[in-house]
Amino acid sequence: MRIYGPTDPEMSKIYNNMGGVEAELENLDAAKEYHEKAMSIDLKSHGAIHPSVARNYMNLGIVEKRLGNYKKAEEYYKRRRYTFNIILWGRITWTWV
């Protein structure tokens, strides 16, 4: 059995799952906190251009939208799209508006 440290990349998956559960329970502030922890770990572990980071942007966007923070949600959704464009095509295929 492996024991994960607080910054182990596997902890990101755990935090994302916990954030999803909290969101389903309508504990949106707790969900946001878990997704932010996951993002912090993934940025340190993988860098800014990684599928896990894109997933975190999407999860944070969903939570922000449910909190009524539509501008912040839009920002996260755009960052997710930007990240995936670089991952998939190696370049930016659209511009920030």
Side-chain angles (χ1 to χ4, degrees), residues 10-80:
E10 287 298 315
M11 287 301 296
S12 170
K13 296 174 189 174
I14 293 168
Y15 286 138
N16 263 308
N17 289 338
M18 292 172 72
V21 170
E22 293 292 352
E24 287 297 315
L25 294 172
E26 298 295 326
N27 298 328
L28 298 177
D29 290 328
K32 181 179 174 182
E33 187 175 319
Y34 281 124
H35 290 309
E36 287 172 341
K37 286 181 182 182
M39 176 67 85
S40 176
I41 291 169
D42 285 335
L43 285 171
K44 289 176 187 168
S45 299
H46 306 298
I49 306 302
H50 191 273
S52 294
V53 173
R55 176 197 61 210
N56 294 326
Y57 283 134
M58 181 56 118
N59 290 338
L60 285 164
I62 291 167
V63 171
E64 291 291 354
K65 180 181 174 190
R66 290 178 68 186
L67 285 168
N69 301 329
Y70 300 110
K71 287 290 185 188
K72 190 70 174 174
E74 179 183 33
E75 180 183 324
Y76 283 129
Y77 292 148
K78 285 181 178 180
R79 286 180 184 217
R80 177 189 181 267

